[in-house]
Amino acid sequence: TISAGQIQAFVHRLATDDSIPTVERTAGLLVALYGQPATRLVRLRVDHVTINGDEVTLRLGRHRVELPPVLAGLVVELVCHRRQRGLAAPAVNPWLFPGGHPGRPLTAKWLAARITTHGLPVAELRAAALLGLAAELPAAFLADLLGISAGTAVRWTHAAGGEWARYAATRARTSSR
């Protein structure tokens, strides 16, 4: 298993190390922060991204998630600098992580391997991220937010020891301040 310190160090490295390609930095942060599997990342399209001034959102499930500044900057770079990277316009190549063949995304296997070469195995990184999120969020919210099945979210919530009552009580305490 991966420790919280290892995840934190990996996230810091992805956020700050410009020698890592933007694709791997962006995908790695999406796995580490939101528990997204490589199979879902490669299906993300440019139209899943909304840029509104400094606010950048990404639709992961049914809802849009506001991205933290560093990740937002990386996503904007992927979306806005397509021509500099020799990519077709989104109408022709709609993928956020476009592959080497026109109109096709990267493969999940390639993307996971590239992230892994920079530090941590994707499957373990995703599991650690989901455990952390499941400890803090109710299963229904987690499923809806991240686009995972309700059953999967419940299993992660139970594994993390999270429960609705604790979440509701915490929200009530923090919102009354």
Side-chain angles (χ1 to χ4, degrees), residues 48 82 88 96 102 105 109 120 136-137 154 173:
H48 290 147
R82 296 171 70 82
L96 186 60
K109 185 176 180 179
L120 297 173
E136 300 296 324
L137 302 172
V154 167
R173 276 194 309 274

Side-chain angles (χ1 to χ4, degrees), residues 15-116:
T16 60
D17 188 346
D18 290 337
S19 70
I20 300 173
T22 303
V23 167
E24 286 99 308
R25 291 176 69 195
T26 307
L29 287 169
L30 288 169
V31 173
L33 298 176
Y34 300 106
Q36 294 297 293
T39 54
R40 180 163 298 128
L41 292 178
V42 297
R43 292 191 315 252
L44 289 173
R45 296 185 319 261
V46 172
D47 65 355
H48 290 147
V49 177
T50 301
I51 303 167
N52 187 8
D54 289 339
E55 181 182 277
V56 178
T57 61
L58 178 64
R59 191 176 74 222
L60 295 176
R62 292 184 193 152
H63 303 284
R64 294 189 169 278
V65 175
E66 184 176 348
L67 301 177
V70 170
L71 181 54
L74 292 169
V75 168
V76 167
E77 186 176 329
L78 288 178
V79 171
C80 295
H81 298 112
R82 296 171 70 82
R83 284 211 174 108
Q84 291 174 358
R85 294 183 300 150
L87 298 171
V92 175
N93 196 339
W95 307 108
L96 186 60
F97 298 105
H101 299 289
R104 304 200 93 176
L106 289 174
T107 66
K109 185 176 180 179
W110 183 91
L111 188 59
R114 293 301 308 154
I115 295 168
T116 299

